[in-house]
Amino acid sequence: MSELGTRLLQRWEEVHPGTSQNELARRISMDRSALSRVMNGKRGLAGRELIALAQELQTSVDWILLGEEPFPVQVAARHDYLGNGSYVLDRSETVAATVRGVAQAYEQAGALTEWPNRRDVPSDPREARQLLELEFGPTWPRHFADAVERTFGIDVIKADLPGSSGLSLKLPNAVVIVVPTEAFWARQNWTIAHELEHIASGAFSTDGNLGSSAENAAHKYAAELLLPASALRRTAWEQVTEAQLADYVWHAGVSVDALQRRLAFLRLATPATNLKTPALARKHILGQSVFDDPVAERLQEAAARRFPVRLIAAHEGKPKSARTLEWMLGAPFESGTDDEQREDDASESFPDMDDLAAAFGLKVD
């Protein structure tokens, strides 16, 4: 078997363990004998076959052709908890597409403006909390994404990730946390705190598949960062009113459910309420007028796409990355180029795949 064939089969086994080579041929609409010749170095790959292979193997054409990524992406993907100590990793195409979009945005951006206070995330969540308060102030849970960027130099993105809790990426020019716009603001905060532990421990891989022990460690980190045990033990929770409970979860940036679970774990009294976090906040967190609605503002912020200012600035004025900028902003952006110019740029940026294959000596029968 050729070096290419060995690499493809190893990757296929990583992505779809226990699945046959014949199944790979079926999925990419390729004759089994033709795929066998490719694996043995007796046949090249057509452009459409390269693209289909890259999609099925969840990798890039560069990796298939060269055996390496020109812009390597490592992932620490948060798993959704199913109960009974088990977790599941989201592998949906929508999540994969968002990861590819984020990676492309950073690859196109090139060198980025450095964060002035970039530092390693402490492995102790108590130290991380102290740094957040020192750099951003006591309101950091209310503006968690901004606080993380300012304190640790980690970019925070809010984008479409339906069905996923979130993930973090280690790229050549940035470390990034991605949270879903579909999530409630308290859930987003928990995910950011969770991903900080993965970053602190260096839990990155090419597929982001972490074990239960790594996920449990990240949950414990998030709990101590957002709901420190020492502070909780100083409060007489059996005497807390509903209004005081609402005020606490609002400023701590957590949900009622997360707080109650944390108190139960610490064997502390849990304040009684029949309201979920949104209803509790709506009832007790009030603005000064109809133009001042803090609950609505926080919900709107959580649902809005968010990309780091330095990444957006790196794409401004670059006609060839205008579409990437539009994707980040979620709306058309006036880049100073007309449609005809942008089509020309796009054709220059993406060469014909058959020509690319031929350039590497992968000629098709």
Side-chain angles (χ1 to χ4, degrees), residues 114-351:
E114 286 288 337
W115 290 110
N117 295 324
R118 185 171 183 176
R119 55 167 65 87
D120 292 337
V121 179
S123 58
D124 188 334
R126 294 168 297 184
E127 293 180 20
R129 185 179 179 93
Q130 290 174 354
L131 288 172
L132 287 163
E133 292 178 350
L134 177 65
E135 292 293 339
F136 199 87
T139 63
W140 64 266
R142 174 65 181 83
H143 310 281
F144 202 5
D146 294 331
V148 165
E149 289 182 345
R150 185 179 301 181
T151 305
F152 302 115
I154 296 171
D155 289 352
V156 179
I157 288 174
K158 295 179 182 179
D160 299 335
L161 286 174
S164 172
S165 296
L167 50 89
S168 50
L169 305 173
K170 186 176 182 181
L171 308 173
N173 56 351
V175 176
V176 187
I177 294 174
V178 187
V179 296
T181 53
E182 298 87 358
F184 183 56
W185 53 262
R187 183 68 170 175
Q188 290 180 347
N189 277 6
W190 197 273
T191 292
I192 293 173
H194 179 106
E195 295 302 319
L196 284 176
E197 193 283 332
H198 287 326
I199 294 170
S201 62
F204 291 98
S205 65
T206 55
D207 65 359
N209 195 359
L210 308 178
S212 295
S213 60
E215 288 297 290
N216 285 329
H219 278 302
K220 291 179 181 178
Y221 189 99
E224 182 61 30
L225 178 61
L226 296 172
L227 296 166
S230 59
L232 295 179
R233 289 192 173 105
R234 291 195 299 267
T235 302
W237 291 101
E238 64 277 3
Q239 300 175 16
V240 168
T241 66
E242 188 179 77
Q244 290 172 329
L245 174 62
D247 186 73
Y248 187 89
V249 297
W250 178 261
H251 289 97
V254 300
S255 67
V256 173
D257 181 66
L259 174 61
Q260 290 177 333
R261 289 174 181 269
R262 178 68 166 157
L263 292 173
F265 175 79
L266 296 173
R267 297 184 178 181
L268 299 174
T270 56
T273 180
N274 295 322
L275 298 178
K276 297 294 185 181
T277 311
L280 186 68
R282 172 56 63 197
K283 181 177 179 181
H284 295 286
I285 307 300
L286 307 175
Q288 301 299 316
S289 70
V290 68
F291 302 106
D292 177 24
D293 190 328
V295 175
E297 290 173 0
R298 198 164 191 175
L299 288 172
Q300 189 174 40
E301 288 173 11
R305 292 174 70 84
R306 180 194 191 277
F307 283 80
V309 171
R310 67 173 189 153
L311 182 62
I312 293 174
H315 283 273
E316 287 186 75
K318 290 185 177 181
K320 291 188 177 182
S321 63
R323 284 189 174 85
T324 300
L325 183 59
E326 290 182 353
W327 175 76
M328 288 191 292
L329 298 176
F333 178 76
E334 180 54 58
S335 61
T337 61
D338 56 27
D339 291 339
E340 183 177 354
Q341 175 67 44
R342 285 169 56 185
E343 289 176 3
D344 292 342
D345 291 336
S347 64
E348 292 175 3
S349 300
F350 300 96

Side-chain angles (χ1 to χ4, degrees), residues 20-32 35:
S20 68
Q21 180 178 319
N22 290 342
E23 176 62 14
L24 172 59
R26 186 190 70 79
R27 292 194 183 193
I28 63 175
S29 301
M30 192 173 182
D31 184 76
R32 288 179 295 176
L35 179 59

